Amino acid sequence: MIAPCTTSDIPALAALLRGLQAHHAVHLPQRFHDRATEADLRDVLHDALSEGAELLAYRVEGVPRGYLMWRWRERPASALEHPARLAQLDHIWTDPSWRRRGIARRLIAAFEARAARSGATGWIVALHSFNAASRGLMAGAGAQPSVEVLEKRLAPV
């Protein structure tokens, strides 16, 4: 049911990305919009794959009903920090009609297993402050707060 995605999955994943983008546009309209065309969304996913992002999809009868995208984030040793190979979770989305079935939890478990097999020392995710459901999902997967980012919007001059 969960398998890595390839470029042939992009059209189906673009439909899921549209849902994720619309969700963000509703809650943060000053940052996100939902005017992207299907071709634009396919390009976003194609570019991500070509730049090394990895995607997993939860499929039912061959159709993706949820997906997770991540990228590798290498942190070399420095005078202040140990080296780390982190998997940065960028997107996770489940089609609304398929929610409350454990799909997102299974995607995270598959992501963790793949990342660990590839030498990850951990994973990170950035959450928008409005998204309590995502915060709960990540906490349920064992993620804990690490760094908090604050933002102040400035009025145009």
Side-chain angles (χ1 to χ4, degrees):
M1 287 189 182
I2 295 178
C5 298
T6 65
T7 54
S8 65
D9 294 307
I10 287 177
L13 295 174
L16 293 172
L17 178 54
R18 174 158 311 286
L20 175 62
Q21 187 64 16
H23 177 68
H24 286 106
V26 165
H27 293 282
L28 288 173
Q30 70 275 17
R31 179 171 177 194
F32 296 104
H33 65 80
D34 61 357
R35 297 183 305 270
T37 66
E38 289 300 312
D40 293 334
L41 297 172
R42 288 191 302 267
D43 287 348
V44 166
L45 293 165
H46 187 277
D47 291 349
L49 277 173
S50 68
E51 293 167 358
E54 297 188 41
L55 288 100
L56 292 173
Y58 179 92
R59 293 178 176 85
V60 177
E61 296 178 359
V63 178
R65 303 300 182 180
Y67 82 101
L68 184 149
M69 182 172 85
W70 80 94
R71 300 169 194 266
W72 288 106
R73 186 169 165 187
E74 306 285 343
R75 186 178 67 213
S78 73
L80 303 174
E81 292 185 297
H82 297 290
R85 183 164 204 241
L86 300 169
Q88 180 173 326
L89 195 163
D90 282 343
H91 298 175
I92 186 167
W93 183 255
T94 301
D95 184 276
S97 64
W98 285 85
R99 291 194 181 147
R100 308 218 105 1
R101 301 175 194 208
I103 292 171
R105 284 191 311 274
R106 283 182 258 176
L107 282 165
I108 290 174
F111 155 66
E112 284 184 344
R114 290 179 65 84
R117 283 193 304 271
S118 296
T121 56
W123 61 270
I124 58 173
V125 63
L127 301 171
H128 292 289
S129 58
F130 72 82
N131 202 336
S134 189
R135 181 175 308 283
L137 174 66
M138 299 308 155
Q144 299 174 7
S146 175
V147 173
E148 189 170 353
V149 176
L150 304 177
E151 178 180 351
K152 179 180 179 182
R153 302 281 305 165
L154 299 176
V157 288

